[in-house]
Amino acid sequence: MSQDLLQKITALAKRRGIIFPNSEIYGGIGGFYDYGPVGVEMKNNLKRYWWKNMVDKRENVVGIDGTIITHPKVWEASGHVQGFSDEVVECKKCHQRFRPEDIQEKCPKCGSTEFTDSRKYNMLFKTEVGVVEGEKMDAYLRGEACQTIYLDFMNVVDSTRQQIPFGIAQIGKAFRNEVTPGKLTFRSREFEQWDLQFFVHPDDMEKWFEYWKEERMKFYKELYRKQENLRFYEHPQDKLVFYAKKAFDVEYLSPWGWAENEGIHWRSDYDLTQHSKFSGKELKYTDPKTGEKYIPWIVETSGGVDRTLLMLLFDAYEEEDLGDGNIRTVLKIHPEIAAYKAAVFPLVGNKEDISKKAREVFDLLSDKHKVVWDDRGNIGKRYRYQDEIGTPYCITIDYETLENNSVTVRDRDTMEQKRVNIEDLDSILS
Ligand code: GAP
């Protein structure tokens, strides 16, 4: 995969309303991005897809939606206040800062080989809670979404019918003051994570770790087209945190090499023990059958929503040579993630009867499916636009429709066109 794929995706994302740099009129702000009209649909679809797979289809997983700001002690207990830091070196010539792993002997900016010693920066964003001076409390934007799951663990046990083994899922924002944000949304300062914390008896830890490792790879294999671009990276034993027995990343082959999509982590009883110590509250689970009391162990699967969407754009992007120097750019993205399932076109926008019929088709479909209307320019241009945002089907209403209620349906990937009856459109899209 060529390096310029990142540039192509960045340009396409801006041109077609997928991802915009935040505060662009003020010159932008590093590491912050907005989703445009097409991107927000894709991102919502992606989150729904994860939720369906991880929560709706499982009887032993429930969801929560926690806050971004929590009691500041949470981040002392979690270790983030003391140790959530990034290593930074500074080029002595151009003063640009980098993570040590991003420089290969020479400064990527100016080519100099002289750097300062590496220093540590805490990545937590600070804020204040309260309005009266002197009574304000320092707080943090959450550096990882999962902490609220630990905080709500006992509430979930007490309020649901779940028994261990069971999981709590959450999709939510996390904030990290990254030293070197970059590569579009890959490393940003405000991003979303999808997390599962699965609570188990310590004796069952190994079994459930392996189970979730396989489940998560299966999830990504169903989502991505290019299976050869997916792999596990196993963290070396000497790099593991002291409470972990193993850790794996699901990686995707990005234009700059293998890149982390999600981590599968062995968290043992570390988090609940820490919160128990710092809060003074017992966070033990009592087995309703045996009466055994213990702090559950946790298998975590934690991935990036924005990162996955970015990787999906890399995975889907194709430039196809149609002959005569004609290149078609198409996003062959998973149909469930595509912003729109179909586009509805009146062949000629200014013919009242065709337009009216096309509106009927749009209204019929939009009750159940996300469809988009386009009557601008010629059909060729409309196809090009929909291909670039990955719309699986284009439906054209023409003169023949007025005679026999049939429309043409054009397939994004094969470009084949078929005539079908309007009544069959719902089942085709389903
Ligand atoms: N609770 C565990 C945890 O937060 P992590 O490996 O630091 O683990 C999990 O983060 C996932 O969050 C990563 O695999 C990545 O997809 C995403 N992520 C982390 N930092 C990110 C950033 N700065 N920008 C975008 N996504 C990020």
Side-chain angles (χ1 to χ4, degrees):
M1 248 190 290
S2 64
Q3 270 288 348
D4 70 358
L5 182 57
L6 176 61
Q7 278 161 13
K8 285 181 176 171
I9 291 296
T10 306
L12 175 77
K14 170 96 196 296
R15 188 168 76 241
R16 294 296 180 229
I18 302 173
I19 300 167
F20 301 135
N22 176 271
S23 310
E24 205 180 7
I25 58 168
Y26 289 99
I29 169 166
F32 295 91
Y33 288 92
D34 295 339
Y35 287 84
V38 171
V40 68
E41 301 294 344
M42 289 178 170
K43 195 175 173 192
N44 285 341
N45 289 342
L46 185 57
K47 290 193 279 185
R48 263 196 293 270
Y49 185 87
W50 184 89
W51 197 268
K52 193 164 114 194
N53 187 294
M54 297 296 279
V55 184
D56 297 351
K57 287 188 171 181
R58 299 172 192 273
E59 77 274 11
N60 57 357
V61 178
V62 290
I64 63 156
D65 183 20
T67 60
I68 282 161
I69 296 173
T70 60
H71 195 289
K73 271 208 162 169
V74 170
W75 304 100
E76 287 172 35
S78 68
H80 284 73
V81 171
Q82 305 88 328
F84 192 46
S85 50
D86 215 358
E87 299 255 349
V88 186
V89 293
E90 189 174 314
C91 170
K92 284 189 174 168
K93 195 166 161 213
C94 71
H95 301 289
Q96 194 79 21
R97 288 171 179 172
F98 303 96
R99 290 150 76 104
E101 66 264 31
D102 290 342
I103 47 171
Q104 270 132 15
E105 292 174 15
K106 290 184 177 189
C107 170
K109 188 97 190 286
C110 73
S112 158
T113 50
E114 287 200 59
F115 296 94
T116 60
D117 290 340
S118 102
R119 276 181 293 167
K120 287 194 162 187
Y121 282 86
N122 193 298
M123 291 198 288
L124 280 181
F125 275 101
K126 252 193 179 166
T127 185
E128 286 178 324
V129 177
V131 287
V132 181
E133 274 315 320
E135 290 177 14
K136 287 185 189 174
M137 176 169 74
D138 279 348
Y140 304 97
L141 307 189
R142 63 183 177 192
E144 57 176 6
C146 63
Q147 292 296 328
T148 43
I149 297 184
Y150 312 137
L151 303 178
D152 282 338
F153 168 70
M154 271 306 177
N155 283 330
V156 173
V157 169
D158 292 342
S159 61
T160 68
R161 310 286 298 156
Q162 293 296 333
Q163 292 172 35
I164 279 179
F166 79 93
I168 304 179
Q170 179 182 228
I171 300 177
K173 292 254 183 179
F175 299 81
R176 295 182 188 177
N177 205 354
E178 297 277 358
V179 176
T180 51
K183 304 193 170 80
L184 201 58
T185 52
F186 180 77
R187 192 179 293 134
S188 33
R189 289 178 165 140
E190 173 174 343
F191 56 96
E192 263 182 295
Q193 292 182 314
W194 49 38
D195 279 342
L196 170 76
Q197 307 294 317
F198 199 76
F199 300 86
V200 302
H201 188 280
D203 292 348
D204 297 333
M205 185 68 183
E206 184 79 40
K207 180 180 92 186
W208 283 109
F209 186 92
E210 289 306 317
Y211 172 82
W212 283 111
K213 184 180 154 224
E214 295 313 317
E215 282 291 287
R216 295 307 297 147
M217 182 55 98
K218 211 164 90 193
F219 172 89
Y220 286 106
K221 286 205 161 153
E222 282 165 15
L223 202 53
Y224 289 107
R225 286 195 309 144
K226 297 173 185 156
Q227 307 283 295
E228 68 281 10
N229 286 357
L230 273 169
R231 73 168 191 191
F232 276 124
Y233 165 76
E234 181 170 8
H235 288 238
Q237 282 291 321
D238 61 339
K239 293 274 186 314
L240 293 177
V241 282
F242 72 89
Y243 52 82
K245 189 173 154 198
K246 42 190 169 178
F248 287 85
D249 292 341
V250 176
E251 291 190 330
Y252 185 83
L253 188 57
S254 73
W256 59 91
W258 290 100
E260 178 186 335
N261 226 170
E262 168 158 329
I264 294 114
H265 302 135
W266 179 294
R267 295 192 79 126
S268 72
D269 61 354
Y270 177 74
D271 306 279
L272 290 180
T273 304
Q274 284 295 102
H275 285 303
S276 190
K277 262 192 216 157
F278 276 72
S279 67
K281 298 279 175 337
E282 192 179 81
L283 297 176
K284 281 189 180 151
Y285 172 81
T286 308
D287 188 308
K289 291 187 198 104
T290 64
E292 186 188 356
K293 268 186 130 186
Y294 60 95
I295 293 193
W297 283 34
I298 295 172
V299 182
E300 171 184 70
T301 74
S302 178
V305 181
D306 313 81
R307 229 176 234 198
T308 304
L309 185 52
L310 179 62
M311 302 283 173
L312 275 171
L313 298 178
F314 296 145
D315 187 67
Y317 186 89
E318 295 286 349
E319 287 175 5
E320 291 178 353
D321 191 347
L322 303 178
D324 303 333
N326 207 349
I327 304 286
R328 167 173 99 116
T329 300
V330 54
L331 276 189
K332 294 188 172 175
I333 200 161
H334 193 299
E336 281 195 56
I337 310 305
Y340 310 108
K341 307 309 153 205
V344 177
F345 304 157
L347 179 67
V348 256
N350 58 2
K351 284 272 185 269
E352 210 179 295
D353 40 1
I354 289 186
S355 238
K356 191 162 158 258
K357 192 75 187 166
R359 293 255 171 237
E360 279 172 29
V361 172
F362 183 89
D363 290 344
L364 179 83
L365 296 176
S366 60
D367 262 350
K368 266 174 77 178
H369 307 279
K370 183 81 188 173
V371 288
V372 62
W373 173 268
D374 191 1
D375 60 6
R376 224 175 103 176
N378 63 39
I379 290 284
K381 283 205 175 121
R382 296 183 209 167
Y383 281 155
R384 271 184 175 257
Y385 186 97
Q386 298 303 330
D387 283 347
E388 284 199 357
I389 62 169
T391 308
Y393 294 113
C394 291
I395 299 165
T396 304
I397 289 82
D398 55 19
Y399 291 103
E400 209 182 314
T401 316
L402 302 178
E403 285 163 24
N404 62 12
N405 239 21
S406 72
V407 294
T408 59
V409 176
R410 184 245 197 199
D411 182 287
R412 174 193 73 193
D413 297 346
T414 62
M415 294 189 284
E416 262 174 27
Q417 298 186 22
K418 277 191 196 146
R419 272 210 96 83
V420 306
N421 201 286
I422 287 174
E423 283 158 22
D424 297 329
L425 286 174
D426 174 30
S427 71
I428 290 172
L429 294 195
S430 295

